Amino acid sequence: MAGRIMQVLFPLLTVLLAVKSAPIQTPRKTYNIVIDQEQASMEIPDYVINSFGVMSISGLKPRNSDIVGKYARHSEIDSWLINIADQYPTLAKVESIGSSHEGRDMKLIRIGKNNEARTKPIIWIEAGIHAREWVAPATAVYTIHKLLTEYGINPVVTQLMDEFDWLILPSANPDGYEYSHTMDRLWRKTRSRQSGRCTGVDPNRNFDISFGGAGTSTNPCSDIYPGTSAFSESETRNIRDALLSERARIKLFLSFHAYSQLILTPYGYTSIKPSDNQELMRVAEAGIASLKTIHGEMYTAGTPPDLLYAASGGSYDWAKSVAGIQYAYTYEMRPAEASFGQSGFILSESEIIPNAEEVWASLVTIATEIQY
Ligand code: 0X9
Ligand code: ZN
């Protein structure tokens, strides 16, 4: 018994020491670790944890992990969401925000201690709006799994779930995502029928912000075709409506994409900077500094016109300038660049978890740094 208690207490002590002695900037807040000893003795494997709550787990495999670290199909993500929410009924709830063009359900998971009270500030994550950027939904899945399985165990996770509700849409373009699995690995758009025998609209050009402006094409066959009008796509309408219904509480809006290793700040549609550009850059740079401590990966912060190209009709620009969410960012995840002979959208499955771990570290810092 004493051995069992030591086995439980020792890792907890390691957690506390790691958090206390961390040399790098981390959550300014204090942690209250509440842990059910019975449950802990059954579930906590040996682990080490760093100051961002990145844990390396050995021993027991966490439950519900079947699609974590994999490129899952939309239906697998769907049923996994229902399953994991069922296992953590006090911490999570799944709801549908509507259907895709081809009738697939778009599920949003609401995660957080006391989330049913609907009073806390919200962190919103949309992933997979571009079909071929598979690491984006995979990172959202990892994040959902981490939040739910480490609540009450990992003080960083516990703190961030006590303080925020996390609303995560892991598969924002289900039809395109499926098409990229079955027909065309590099498919990007939705799957709605367009004129001229072409299919699909770029959903990240379809929001009502400078619609049809810079970085779009009038050719329906183009990958950056914005559609016939803003919100012509059911997927973007569903996202718009879900976002608007929660907008007062959303303090941080994140859109997960790949690739290039960037945290894009607003705006994407114009080179004019928002009045709080400095603050948005400060928080993004802090996130990048944390990200780099995990696996040494380098990210850059800045606006799309400065770092990539201008592009109008994007979700995060709309979230900031229309929905009024101050902190809105687009992540472009791994890889930094395409390697010879291979598209940058094709990232080995073995990089999903390292990518998600470093993104998590940046999320911890960003969530801690935002002022609201
Ligand atoms: O072009 C895009 O939509 C994004 N890059 S990607 O390679 N993932 O397609 C950049 C989006 C930046 N956001 C806006 N320009 N609104
Ligand atoms: Zn993208």
Side-chain angles (χ1 to χ4, degrees):
M1 190 58 197
R4 207 49 255 179
I5 290 173
M6 275 316 288
Q7 254 178 300
V8 172
L9 284 182
F10 185 70
L12 277 177
L13 226 69
T14 319
V15 169
L16 285 170
L17 286 175
V19 170
K20 278 221 116 131
S21 61
I24 24 184
Q25 75 279 48
T26 26
R28 323 175 217 96
K29 289 132 196 178
T30 49
Y31 304 114
N32 294 316
I33 304 180
V34 183
I35 187 156
D36 179 294
Q37 289 295 319
E38 262 305 295
Q39 192 194 3
S41 63
M42 292 187 302
E43 289 174 12
I44 305 181
D46 292 334
Y47 60 89
V48 285
I49 181 172
N50 76 1
S51 55
F52 301 108
V54 174
M55 300 168 91
S56 52
I57 299 182
S58 59
L60 290 177
K61 202 166 175 260
R63 294 176 304 176
N64 305 307
S65 58
D66 45 328
I67 66 162
V68 179
K70 301 227 150 51
Y71 290 128
R73 301 290 289 266
H74 178 76
S75 63
E76 295 176 299
I77 299 177
D78 246 24
S79 43
W80 179 83
L81 284 171
I82 299 282
N83 260 314
I84 199 164
D86 272 357
Q87 305 211 23
Y88 296 91
T90 61
L91 297 176
K93 199 170 164 282
V94 173
E95 57 199 62
S96 169
I97 65 162
S99 299
S100 67
H101 174 72
E102 291 174 353
R104 294 184 178 86
D105 200 21
M106 292 174 70
K107 288 190 177 66
L108 176 77
I109 189 164
R110 200 180 276 273
I111 299 175
K113 187 70 182 165
N114 290 327
N115 71 77
E116 60 289 341
R118 305 204 174 195
T119 49
K120 289 187 284 164
I122 291 172
I123 295 174
W124 173 286
I125 299 175
E126 157 233 286
I129 202 166
H130 283 149
R132 63 191 172 193
E133 298 164 15
W134 287 5
V135 75
T139 302
V141 162
Y142 171 94
T143 307
I144 294 164
H145 180 263
K146 181 170 186 78
L147 289 167
L148 291 176
T149 58
E150 294 179 18
Y151 183 82
I153 295 172
N154 179 338
V156 177
V157 169
T158 308
Q159 168 77 38
L160 291 175
M161 287 199 14
D162 285 344
E163 185 167 345
F164 295 100
D165 287 340
W166 297 66
L167 269 56
I168 305 180
L169 178 69
S171 186
N173 176 6
D175 302 346
Y177 185 67
E178 274 306 292
Y179 196 77
S180 74
H181 276 269
T182 55
M183 299 300 287
D184 177 355
R185 176 63 189 82
L186 293 182
W187 189 257
R188 165 182 169 98
K189 301 191 286 178
T190 60
R191 292 294 303 161
S192 57
R193 189 66 197 273
Q194 304 301 319
S195 66
R197 281 191 279 112
C198 277
T199 306
V201 160
D202 182 345
N204 213 36
R205 299 290 183 279
N206 192 241
F207 284 73
D208 194 8
I209 175 74
S210 186
F211 178 80
T216 64
S217 162
T218 53
N219 176 2
C221 303
S222 161
D223 255 353
I224 51 170
Y225 179 59
T228 48
S229 60
F231 296 120
S232 58
E233 305 305 284
S234 10
E235 294 80 4
T236 55
R237 285 197 301 273
N238 294 340
I239 297 170
R240 171 197 66 191
D241 295 345
L243 222 113
L244 284 178
S245 71
E246 296 286 7
R247 86 165 153 199
R249 286 200 291 135
I250 305 176
K251 304 301 167 192
L252 174 61
F253 173 96
L254 302 172
S255 180
F256 283 0
H257 291 248
Y259 62 97
S260 293
Q261 298 188 185
L262 309 169
I263 294 183
L264 296 172
T265 61
Y267 296 112
Y269 74 96
T270 172
S271 3
I272 299 168
K273 306 287 187 285
S275 58
D276 56 355
N277 178 53
Q278 256 199 341
E279 168 62 5
L280 292 172
M281 283 295 287
R282 178 191 71 79
V283 170
E285 297 283 14
I288 286 174
S290 301
L291 185 151
K292 186 170 177 245
T293 67
I294 306 302
H295 299 295
E297 290 299 323
M298 312 280 270
Y299 268 59
T300 308
T303 68
D306 288 353
L307 300 180
L308 291 172
Y309 43 76
S312 50
S315 68
Y316 86 128
D317 276 353
W318 183 85
K320 182 163 177 68
S321 44
V322 181
I325 298 154
Q326 189 192 353
Y327 295 92
Y329 297 106
T330 295
Y331 272 72
E332 297 286 1
M333 297 176 186
R334 290 193 189 192
E337 51 198 36
S339 50
F340 184 74
Q342 181 168 273
S343 162
F345 298 110
I346 297 170
L347 182 74
S348 156
E349 238 177 17
S350 64
E351 288 201 57
I352 294 175
I353 289 180
N355 177 82
E357 286 172 340
E358 68 203 15
V359 166
W360 166 260
S362 71
L363 296 184
V364 171
T365 296
I366 291 177
T368 310
E369 289 296 330
I370 57 174
Q371 315 280 321
Y372 55 87

